[in-house]
Amino acid sequence: MKGAVLYGPKDIRFENRDDPKIIQPTDAVLRLAASCICGSDLWPYRGLQPIDGPTHMGHEYCGIVEEVGSAVKSIKPEQFVVGSFATSDNTCPHCQIGYQSACVHREFMLRAQAPFLRVPNADGTLVPTPGGTPSPDLVPSLLACSDVLGTGWFAADAANVKPGSTVVVVGDGAVGLLGVLSAKQMGAGRIIAMSRHDKRQKLAREFGATDIVAERGDEAVARVKDMTKGIGADSVLECVGTQESMMQAIKSTRPGGHIGYVGVPHGVELDGQQLFFDLVHLHGGPAPVRRFLPKLIDLVLNGAINPGKVFDLVLPLDQVAEGYRAMDERRAIKTLLQV
């Protein structure tokens, strides 16, 4: 088969790779229904995150089970499944408290920008869709559950979003936009989305944003404080991962408020003394998507949410390089790759 391989900055190639096969008895092999490009893929694509030689790309996936290892019990061939970007056995002490992204047997998925994919720890990682194979129009939203929706949901969960609360979302990429959707589902009364991009602002409002702030940095903080009568937000979702975005999140949060940070940090350094006096709760990391998958899949299948709207560019898999370029140049929010 062919799949996406990153060789260096701006050098993504679609080339021959070995077909995946069962290696461990706990593995499954999937025939993917679709794949996509993640905003976090842009860090190594832009040369801002080093890679150790040619790197197979892709970690978001859903599809049909082709084959399972001899130790796999709950996952069966021909099931349609959704999995997380972090594998888990779903039984270890970390998994049992809902932090499957810290599973003692965790592996971070790669190689999903391809037609077939090997998934380790299949029983603890994959969640079948009830009712059999879903209709094709639901595939984009189910694919979003694999990472960006699960990550946006974790950002809202970690930020302790409550009914009626005031929420700020820093970042207008796919994760930030689905953080808006998540906060809306959790009952937030006011959702302030940070965005300078017309198309992203429109989608943020569709997902539930009540206000848009185009400023950044200290100017954005001043706007939030003005909009909240000098108090700050109850919950802030940090969905970027830069020093500026993290400081903007912290300064926008009221004393006693909560920050859920899910943007992969690059160059972020925090001042302990400042944090001490800010009196904010700070929680985040790689999202434990597996914790939320059953609920998110149910919301999608019941028509309560349509997170697949974040895919505003659809390309054949062999045009993956154009998908990266479009996202890098902000011509696309998120690229879906048709397998």
Side-chain angles (χ1 to χ4, degrees):
M1 71 173 188
K2 288 189 173 182
V5 181
L6 181 66
Y7 278 79
K10 309 296 176 74
D11 185 6
I12 192 87
R13 307 179 195 178
F14 188 66
E15 62 183 23
N16 287 322
R17 293 169 18 184
D18 292 337
D19 291 343
K21 60 183 181 181
I22 300 295
I23 298 174
Q24 300 293 332
T26 51
D27 291 347
V29 173
L30 310 186
R31 180 175 75 254
L32 298 190
S35 186
C36 60
I37 300 169
C38 183
S40 65
D41 293 331
L42 298 180
W43 290 103
Y45 178 77
R46 291 167 172 162
L48 300 175
Q49 179 177 313
I51 59 173
D52 186 18
T55 301
H56 300 279
M57 299 298 288
H59 56 263
E60 299 167 271
Y61 58 95
C62 63
I64 303 291
V65 179
E66 287 274 295
E67 183 182 3
V68 297
S70 60
V72 177
K73 304 302 181 186
S74 63
I75 301 299
K76 310 294 184 185
E78 299 307 317
Q79 286 180 321
F80 190 97
V81 295
V82 184
S84 168
F85 63 86
T87 72
S88 57
D89 60 24
N90 213 30
T91 60
C92 85
H94 304 321
C95 291
Q96 288 177 11
I97 63 165
Y99 283 82
Q100 291 91 337
S101 54
C103 176
V104 296
H105 294 120
R106 178 191 66 194
E107 297 182 38
F108 286 117
M109 292 296 297
L110 295 169
R111 303 172 178 263
Q113 290 165 9
F116 295 90
L117 178 69
R118 180 181 75 90
V119 180
N121 297 312
D123 277 333
T125 301
L126 300 174
V127 178
T129 54
T133 301
S135 60
D137 61 301
L138 292 175
V139 167
S141 286
L142 290 169
L143 178 61
C145 294
S146 180
D147 183 355
V148 284
L149 175 58
T151 297
W153 195 276
F154 177 55
D157 181 83
N160 198 39
V161 174
K162 299 292 185 184
S165 60
T166 295
V167 178
V168 167
V169 180
V170 181
D172 64 357
V175 170
L177 291 168
L178 292 178
V180 170
L181 180 152
S182 301
K184 178 67 174 178
Q185 285 292 307
M186 294 178 187
R190 189 178 193 184
I191 303 172
I192 303 167
M194 303 283 188
S195 177
R196 295 179 169 182
H197 192 283
D198 288 344
K199 183 166 65 171
R200 297 169 190 240
Q201 291 176 358
K202 180 180 178 182
L203 189 52
R205 289 196 180 276
E206 283 187 45
F207 283 156
T210 57
D211 303 271
I212 302 292
V213 169
E215 290 85 352
R216 289 184 179 175
D218 289 340
E219 291 183 357
V221 173
R223 279 290 311 279
V224 170
K225 289 294 182 70
D226 182 63
M227 296 165 75
T228 57
K229 299 181 180 180
I231 301 300
D234 303 306
S235 301
V236 179
L237 283 57
E238 194 287 307
C239 304
V240 182
T242 64
Q243 180 74 17
E244 181 184 63
S245 63
M246 180 62 86
M247 296 312 301
Q248 185 172 313
I250 292 170
K251 292 177 181 179
S252 297
T253 307
R254 65 179 301 163
H258 293 73
I259 300 162
Y261 69 100
V262 296
V264 180
H266 288 78
V268 175
E269 296 184 359
L270 301 180
D271 183 319
Q273 187 172 39
Q274 179 183 335
L275 276 179
F276 184 77
F277 286 101
D278 283 333
L279 285 168
V280 297
H281 300 79
L282 189 63
H283 180 42
V289 172
R290 178 60 183 82
R291 187 207 310 178
F292 308 117
L293 271 179
K295 179 178 180 67
L296 300 181
I297 290 171
D298 183 63
L299 288 171
V300 167
L301 295 182
N302 288 333
I305 58 174
N306 185 9
K309 286 183 177 181
V310 295
F311 295 108
D312 58 341
L313 178 63
V314 178
L315 294 173
L317 185 58
D318 62 2
Q319 294 184 29
V320 61
E322 168 56 19
Y324 273 85
R325 284 193 293 270
M327 288 178 63
D328 177 45
E329 296 165 7
R330 288 178 69 83
R331 291 184 283 113
I333 300 170
K334 191 168 179 66
T335 303
L336 185 140
L337 301 169
Q338 292 180 322
V339 176

